Amino acid sequence: MTSIAGNLQAVRQRICSAAAACGRSPEDIHLLAVSKTWPAACVAEAADAGQVAFGENYAQEGADKVDALADRSLEWHFIGPLQSNKTRLVASRFDWVHSIDRLKIAARLSEQRDPQLPALNLCVQVNVSGELSKSGVSPEALPELARGIAALPNLRLRGLMCIPEPTEDSALLRERFAVLRRLMASLNADGFGLDTLSMGMSHDIEPAIAEGATIVRVGTAIFGARPRAGDPQEN
């Protein structure tokens, strides 16, 4: 068994154990393998081990991998900060975007998404820890942004994403993740019909699953230490 295949197996077991601990079905929790900075060959190795969904932080790098692996039936998620000049690449290549925190970016994706393609799945990134340096819309501004996105064509608003502050305090992490869960419940009470909580990374899968994560974004625990520094959309 290759290292990546073995790591995938170990992460899947963590997901199953965490789900069992809180009475959830592991089938309701999807593993997103974050392949940023890793070559297409590593993605192919993970795909050979049964992984389907992959996350990328950098638009050009991700688009190149999508093109290189176009003969495989993979699902591509953009999870990094998205600049206006990169939206066309993402709109044409990716299936999901997790990091929306401005209506302007969502509107550009809507305009640039080919109507012949399936609707682009979106998650709104919420700043659940209130850090000034962190991306994400504030909880207070979330409903207005969600309403704006839901009105745009060629997009489907699926749920919410967060990246709590780095901490070893599992109780604090659970509370941050609980904020996102409650926000989605509030939006759904208003009729949004969201089904996705993108939260939890290599070091905090368990508290995220305990608070309802449906997608966990895992890179280091699958591919190993990164060949170059990246940003914290996953760890």
Side-chain angles (χ1 to χ4, degrees), residues 133-156:
S133 61
K134 186 154 288 181
S135 299
V137 67
S138 69
E140 295 75 20
L142 173 62
E144 181 179 0
L145 177 57
R147 284 191 293 271
I149 293 171
L152 294 170
N154 305 318
L155 306 178
R156 182 183 174 193

Side-chain angles (χ1 to χ4, degrees), residues 33-234:
V34 180
S35 45
K36 68 176 185 185
T37 78
W38 291 96
C42 291
V43 176
E45 189 174 340
D48 288 341
Q51 181 62 28
V52 172
F54 293 88
E56 292 287 330
N57 284 59
Y58 309 111
Q60 187 62 63
E61 177 190 337
D64 290 344
K65 290 180 200 174
V66 173
D67 293 345
L69 297 166
D71 60 331
R72 292 174 177 260
S73 297
L74 303 179
E75 183 178 275
W76 293 96
H77 297 235
F78 188 81
I79 63 173
L82 183 53
Q83 299 173 335
S84 296
N85 64 345
K86 300 294 185 181
T87 53
R88 189 173 299 278
L89 270 177
V90 172
S92 64
R93 301 300 208 291
F94 286 81
D95 305 296
W96 286 72
V97 179
H98 290 231
S99 49
I100 297 298
D101 61 4
R102 290 174 290 160
L103 186 58
K104 172 186 174 182
I105 297 298
R108 288 180 64 87
L109 291 170
S110 173
E111 293 167 3
Q112 295 166 351
R113 182 72 167 180
D114 185 343
Q116 301 303 312
L117 293 173
L120 182 61
N121 297 293
L122 298 190
C123 290
V124 174
Q125 182 173 350
V126 183
N127 187 342
V128 295
S129 53
E131 296 170 90
L132 296 178
S133 61
K134 186 154 288 181
S135 299
V137 67
S138 69
E140 295 75 20
L142 173 62
E144 181 179 0
L145 177 57
R147 284 191 293 271
I149 293 171
L152 294 170
N154 305 318
L155 306 178
R156 182 183 174 193
L157 182 58
R158 295 292 299 271
L160 307 177
M161 184 269 262
C162 72
I163 308 169
E165 69 271 41
T167 177
E168 298 300 321
D169 185 339
S170 60
L172 178 59
L173 283 170
R174 282 201 60 165
E175 176 52 33
R176 299 303 194 208
F177 294 137
V179 168
L180 204 69
R181 173 176 51 78
R182 291 193 292 265
L183 288 170
M184 187 169 82
S186 177
L187 289 175
N188 282 343
D190 287 337
F192 278 88
L194 306 181
D195 61 8
T196 300
L197 287 173
S198 171
M199 58 190 196
M201 302 185 285
S202 292
H203 67 287
D204 55 10
I205 290 173
E206 289 78 9
I209 288 174
E211 292 298 336
T214 63
I215 294 178
V216 291
R217 309 180 307 272
V218 179
T220 303
I222 295 171
F223 295 104
R226 301 203 175 282
R228 68 173 188 265
D231 59 30
Q233 299 301 103
E234 84 69 54

